DNA sequence: TTACAATTCAAACGATTGTTTGAGCCATAA
DNA sequence: TTATGGCTCAAACAATCGTTTGAATTGTAA
């Protein structure tokens, strides 16, 4: 097991605290305590609190969108043209849910952070999505469009956004209230993933 | 125009501030200032900050679910049996979006508060949904089930939750980034409402 | 080893937070 | 008028916040 740098430990503990207590419950003193470092280390490494939170978002979102792009690339390089819609949706949804199921690497915590950032209308997150990742989102929207040529372009656009809404809802475990206790985490997320893909696929039927 | 009581003014200004700056940005001093009253009035009328926020949620949610129930009652009293699925979905979705479009009465602000409360995993909200409103949600789920007897009960359950996810996403204006500037608020929400109902209806096709 | 930069640390800063206090205001009822 | 109770107010409380400072420590290259 590798030893984590102070910077990494701070990012991890921030992620953990936000996912547990939300943005309201954050304090740099708690963060530094859990990261087993000094209070001033946070400002030393990240400048200020706002920047720290932004770095938490950036670190993971880059991974998430990288993975999505990779899967879409593979699909578009394949023989099917247009791509199989269900696979396109899987390429978008699965990485997010895989991440949120990856407790070991803190992915689950991050997904909750992400959902909270959405709710808080983080300007930084907004910029990230509308600039850095806009192309990826557009690529997915186009791939969906091509496989459903008879659907109005505007309608596809709306539904893709609704699907993203459901995804965020699930990721953040919003519906946890309704979750059965008999399922393990990985079982739950497998079912969830399948159900969500089917749901999305169905919603895009012509 | 009626004169609002101090209590009402405090509730309204709290709603406004949360919707603008999120739960993070709340301060009782700002709240009392906007409510044009004294700082101590908040504690006098609501005991403490947490209780104040809970009262904001409760006041509006009661209205929302009352309206949903009323619409469902009307449908189930009608001639169609089972109820028309699209109308059931409308009875669930429309009140929420009407509220979020009702700027004058602060409904829009509340919907953003609600979405933030979801993200913050408010225990109070959780209890409200799983206790006080659980019956209503179950009634809607059953109504959907009856109109789609061939769909697995578990599948209906999942999809209803996904639909709620999309609804919250839309209510909180999460997708505002992608919103065209040429539409007025009411035009936007009309389209949004129709698209969401169609989306939900489609996702529940057999 | 020495010198220098990077990092960590305890301590303090001023600002802001939720809450409490007790005096004052203002209506209504005796 | 006087007395009472609901309400508002300015002021102060202790606690916590993010940030800064300067000294101590660590790691690295000469």
């Amino acid at each position: 097991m590798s030893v984590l740098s102070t910077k990494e430990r701070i990012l991890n503990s921030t992620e953990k605290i936000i996912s547990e207590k939300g943005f309201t419950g954050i304090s740099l003193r708690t963060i530094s305590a859990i990261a087993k470092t000094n209070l001033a280390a946070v400002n030393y490494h990240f400048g200020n609190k706002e920047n720290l939170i932004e770095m938490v978002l950036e670190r993971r979102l880059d991974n998430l969108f990288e993975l999505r792009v990779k899967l879409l690339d593979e699909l578009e390089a394949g023989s099917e043209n247009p791509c199989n819609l269900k696979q396109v949706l899987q390429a978008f949804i699965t990485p997010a849910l895989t991440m949120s199921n990856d407790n070991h690497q803190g992915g689950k915590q991050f997904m909750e952070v992400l959902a909270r950032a959405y709710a808080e209308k983080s300007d930084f997150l907004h910029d990230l999505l509308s600039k850095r990742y806009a192309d990826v989102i557009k690529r997915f929207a186009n791939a969906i469009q091509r496989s459903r040529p008879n659907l109005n372009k505007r309608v596809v656009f709306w539904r893709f956004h609704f699907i993203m809404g459901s995804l965020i809802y699930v990721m953040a475990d919003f519906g946890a209230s309704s979750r059965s206790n008999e399922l393990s985490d990985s079982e739950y997320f497998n079912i969830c993933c399948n159900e969500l893909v089917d749901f999305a696929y169905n919603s895009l039927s012509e």
Side-chain angles (χ1 to χ4, degrees), chain A:
Chain A
M1 178 186 160
S2 68
V3 173
L4 299 178
S5 69
T6 303
K7 215 167 168 177
E8 286 171 314
R9 292 202 317 277
I10 292 174
L11 285 173
N12 289 341
S13 75
T14 307
E15 219 170 53
K16 188 178 177 200
I17 293 167
I18 297 180
S19 84
E20 282 173 2
K21 318 214 171 180
F23 285 106
T24 316
I26 282 192
S27 113
L28 295 189
R29 281 171 178 80
T30 319
I31 288 175
S32 58
I34 293 185
K36 291 192 193 305
T37 183
N38 186 271
L39 168 62
V42 181
N43 291 76
Y44 175 77
H45 285 287
F46 296 95
N48 57 36
K49 189 185 179 183
E50 192 186 353
N51 192 252
L52 165 64
I53 296 175
E54 292 175 357
M55 291 305 106
V56 170
L57 289 174
E58 193 170 290
R59 175 176 69 149
R60 301 271 188 188
L61 274 180
D62 279 348
N63 287 339
L64 174 61
F65 275 85
E66 252 177 48
L67 188 50
R68 281 172 167 165
V69 165
K70 185 174 153 251
L71 293 174
L72 186 57
D73 280 344
E74 286 172 10
L75 277 180
E76 294 190 330
S79 57
E80 256 183 293
N81 192 344
C83 297
N84 180 283
L85 176 56
K86 192 168 263 189
Q87 290 180 329
V88 172
L89 292 170
Q90 271 170 339
F92 191 83
I93 291 172
T94 319
L97 286 180
T98 306
M99 235 174 137
S100 51
N101 191 23
D102 189 348
N103 253 323
H104 183 58
Q105 299 200 23
K108 182 170 184 177
Q109 281 142 17
F110 168 68
M111 283 302 156
E112 296 181 5
V113 173
L114 183 57
R116 285 165 191 272
Y118 262 104
E120 288 291 327
K121 298 193 187 186
S122 149
D123 284 340
F124 180 77
L125 175 61
H126 179 273
D127 284 355
L128 227 51
L129 291 175
S130 65
K131 287 174 190 157
R132 198 195 295 224
Y133 306 127
D135 291 347
V136 179
I137 293 176
K138 201 163 282 174
R139 270 191 67 190
F140 273 94
N142 288 337
I144 294 172
Q145 174 72 60
R146 278 194 298 274
S147 70
R148 287 287 180 268
N150 293 334
L151 275 188
N152 185 315
K153 196 168 181 174
R154 232 193 48 250
V155 170
V156 169
F157 166 84
W158 276 102
R159 298 199 180 167
F160 185 41
H161 272 84
F162 293 148
I163 291 169
M164 288 198 265
S166 306
L167 178 59
I168 289 165
Y169 184 80
V170 171
M171 284 183 333
D173 224 10
F174 284 167
S177 57
S178 50
R179 176 173 167 183
S180 158
N181 297 325
E182 297 160 9
L183 296 172
S184 73
D185 269 14
S186 65
E187 283 170 333
Y188 176 78
F189 278 104
N190 271 335
I191 295 174
C192 192
C193 200
N194 288 332
E195 293 291 345
L196 186 53
V197 169
D198 284 351
F199 166 81
Y201 182 79
N202 233 23
S203 77
L204 286 163
S205 59
E206 289 171 328

